[in-house]
Amino acid sequence: MCVPAGFSPAEERRWIAVMVERIRTKEQRRQPSDEQLLQRARDLSRRYLDGRAAPTTVRWSAAQQSRWGSCTPSDGTIRLSERLRGTPSWVLDYVIVHELAHLLIGNHGDDFWELVGRYPRSERARGFLDGLDYAANSPGSTEE
Ligand SMILES: [Zn+2]
């Protein structure tokens, strides 16, 4: 981001706030709605889990700070971390498949990873998320 020359520090702060807000709004518009997320989760379940996982709602959640996603198997709800906003769709799909698999299996045992591994880009997506975590926790990180 490049601040116009000749701005006072106060103007500069205001300008940056406006630009950040503009980018955030644009990103949110680009992201799938809760309804689209649910549709996508159902498609992914059909494609990779023989339709056995039956999600009822899939929502963005600001409360998810340390985990990428979480779910409640008893009622079929899935929550996705706001930190995933702006990630490529194949990464988001991996997190959805991961949570769908948790609707069927609560732990991270071999059976669980066998299910998750049916999604072809699982390994790559996990690498991508590790990279995001690393960038967010590194000194000098620009993430807020
Ligand atoms: Zn898990």
Side-chain angles (χ1 to χ4, degrees):
M1 189 181 322
C2 169
V3 179
F7 270 23
S8 72
E11 284 171 326
E12 190 172 306
R13 269 195 303 277
R14 228 175 5 252
W15 190 82
I16 288 171
V18 167
M19 293 311 286
V20 166
E21 195 45 48
R22 198 172 289 172
I23 290 164
R24 192 169 288 153
T25 311
K26 210 196 272 170
E27 269 180 11
Q28 280 174 7
R29 228 180 286 131
R30 213 156 49 86
Q31 293 301 318
S33 67
D34 293 352
E35 188 49 46
Q36 286 167 326
L37 285 176
L38 177 61
Q39 195 48 54
R40 202 143 131 195
R42 287 182 170 151
D43 287 346
L44 289 165
S45 175
R46 258 198 303 276
R47 244 165 110 186
Y48 300 111
L49 307 175
D50 311 311
R52 282 189 291 140
T56 52
T57 62
V58 183
R59 271 197 293 261
W60 293 111
S61 167
Q64 303 286 319
Q65 286 310 319
S66 59
R67 291 187 297 171
W68 299 112
S70 67
C71 68
T72 309
S74 57
D75 63 7
T77 56
I78 291 175
R79 290 161 300 276
L80 302 173
S81 169
E82 296 269 1
R83 290 170 67 209
L84 289 166
R85 285 187 187 278
T87 56
S89 59
W90 56 272
V91 174
L92 195 58
D93 282 353
Y94 162 75
V95 176
I96 295 173
V97 168
H98 186 115
E99 296 311 322
L100 286 170
H102 273 318
L103 292 181
L104 305 171
I105 301 173
N107 58 40
H108 287 131
D110 291 347
D111 291 356
F112 174 84
W113 290 116
E114 191 273 318
L115 276 184
V116 170
R118 295 185 189 183
Y119 176 67
R121 295 169 100 170
S122 281
E123 277 305 316
R124 274 188 73 189
R126 289 174 69 194
F128 186 101
L129 294 171
D130 282 350
L132 267 191
D133 256 338
Y134 181 81
N137 297 322
S138 304
S141 159
T142 51
E143 210 189 69
E144 338 168 75

